[in-house]
Amino acid sequence: SSSSGDEALRDKRARILSRGLPKQKPIEGVKQVVVVASGKGGVGKSTTAVNLALALAANDLTKEVGLLDADIYGPSIPKMMNLKGNPELTSKNLMRPLKNYGIACMSMGFLIEETAPVVWRGLMVMSAVEKLLRQVDWGQLDYLVIDMPPGTGDVQLSISQNIPLAGAVIVSTPQDVALLDAHKGAEMFRKVHVPVLGLVQNMSVFQCPKCKHETHIFGADGVRDLAKTLGLDILGDIPLHVNIRETCDSGQPVVISQPQSDAAKAYLKIAMEIVRRLPVAPA
């Protein structure tokens, strides 16, 4: 009959399509991978990724946390985590992550000169991402936080399709232009079947240090409105605060250097929300 013929055709098409996709292979020693992404650059994604990695470790001292900088063209994790130098190689020719504040870190920034631009085409970038994913000895990690490059391009797709991801966190400011791209980012993860754990509203409000007056520089509650549109949760709000910027620039992120501050508490709360939404980790 025509219906059974259609079904056979659909099955055949599904088999051909599945052949074209890379098989997902876990990273050895890593229990759960969480990606921190944004549709747009300049919304504080790397700052958020760094402080969330530190917050995951601070919330549960029994957990081992790693941080992978997947932004090949603009690696910022080395500066924010106050790390320099080249990774050592193990006997199996794997790179050993550099460590600070108890977090194992790997970045393209450890492999090139600090001021050297990465002038590469797509294939070379994909090869570098593959090395950062597969040729690193992470030891035993409960969580690996990946700081994604901005946008919805090759790197995001490759990581989503090559390794099983426990979830994605989307960072955006409440500004309309940023929200458009955050929407695209969330839809991309849905298309590749990565659960979106929720949205982080960054730079949500600025409080004048002198008079304490609050100003919504990038608009109010834009990310909350987007979350409703997408049927997603807001994991938390991060204020626009000079301490957050200064501490990351000096390589002493606010979660570590000012743990009692409102900013640090916001990151710690978001980290708790992330863990609450993660699937049960394999033993």
Side-chain angles (χ1 to χ4, degrees):
S1 71
S2 67
S3 66
S4 61
D6 287 348
E7 208 168 300
L9 190 64
R10 271 200 301 274
D11 282 351
K12 188 179 178 186
R13 196 175 290 152
R15 280 200 307 276
I16 291 167
L17 281 170
S18 67
R19 252 185 253 152
L21 284 174
K23 290 279 180 283
Q24 283 193 336
K25 188 175 152 214
I27 299 172
E28 199 171 327
V30 178
K31 285 185 183 170
Q32 290 185 307
V33 181
V34 177
V35 296
V36 178
S38 69
K40 195 165 200 59
V43 297
K45 171 189 50 60
S46 293
T47 301
T48 304
V50 164
N51 279 295
L52 286 181
L54 290 162
L56 284 167
N59 280 340
D60 187 341
L61 300 177
T62 67
K63 301 295 185 192
E64 292 292 330
V65 181
L67 180 59
L68 172 60
D69 188 350
D71 195 342
I72 303 296
Y73 292 116
S76 47
I77 299 303
K79 184 171 179 63
M80 291 183 180
M81 288 295 286
N82 197 24
L83 286 166
K84 270 185 181 171
N86 302 113
E88 292 174 6
L89 290 177
T90 68
S91 57
K92 292 182 179 173
N93 222 25
L94 297 174
M95 293 181 284
R96 208 170 260 135
L98 274 59
K99 211 163 186 180
N100 198 11
Y101 309 123
I103 307 291
C105 301
M106 182 49 67
S107 170
M108 192 69 202
F110 300 147
L111 308 175
I112 56 169
E113 290 294 318
E114 195 173 12
T115 54
V118 177
V119 189
W120 288 351
R121 291 192 185 275
L123 280 172
M124 289 174 76
V125 172
M126 299 321 299
S127 169
V129 169
E130 183 67 16
K131 282 185 172 62
L132 291 176
L133 286 174
R134 301 287 178 204
Q135 293 181 21
V136 176
D137 180 6
W138 289 104
Q140 296 298 313
L141 292 182
D142 294 283
Y143 308 116
L144 176 63
V145 176
I146 301 185
D147 177 25
M148 292 285 227
T152 54
D154 285 350
V155 174
Q156 289 85 344
L157 275 173
S158 182
I159 288 174
S160 304
Q161 290 174 345
N162 275 291
I163 56 173
L165 300 178
V169 174
I170 308 284
V171 180
S172 181
T173 60
Q175 187 182 3
D176 287 351
V177 175
L179 293 167
L180 282 170
D181 290 339
H183 193 150
K184 288 176 195 164
E187 292 294 358
M188 185 212 79
F189 284 116
R190 281 179 165 171
K191 276 204 166 89
V192 292
H193 310 296
V194 173
V196 180
L197 303 174
L199 281 75
V200 171
Q201 181 161 262
N202 200 25
M203 308 184 201
S204 58
V205 65
F206 172 73
Q207 188 184 65
C208 173
K210 288 183 179 169
C211 70
K212 304 299 178 195
H213 174 71
E214 292 192 343
T215 308
H216 294 275
I217 291 174
F218 294 107
D221 287 337
V223 179
R224 287 180 190 284
D225 296 339
L226 175 61
K228 274 185 204 148
T229 304
L230 292 167
L232 292 169
D233 293 328
I234 284 276
L235 298 171
D237 290 71
I238 307 291
L240 178 61
H241 204 293
V242 69
N243 286 7
I244 298 174
R245 195 269 305 161
E246 284 177 349
T247 53
C248 264
D249 279 354
S250 66
Q252 299 172 314
V254 73
V255 166
I256 282 291
S257 57
Q258 300 173 16
Q260 297 308 313
S261 65
D262 288 345
K265 284 173 184 169
Y267 287 118
L268 291 162
K269 180 174 168 286
I270 291 168
M272 283 173 72
E273 289 296 321
I274 287 171
V275 170
R276 218 160 57 79
R277 286 166 172 75
L278 287 173
V280 176

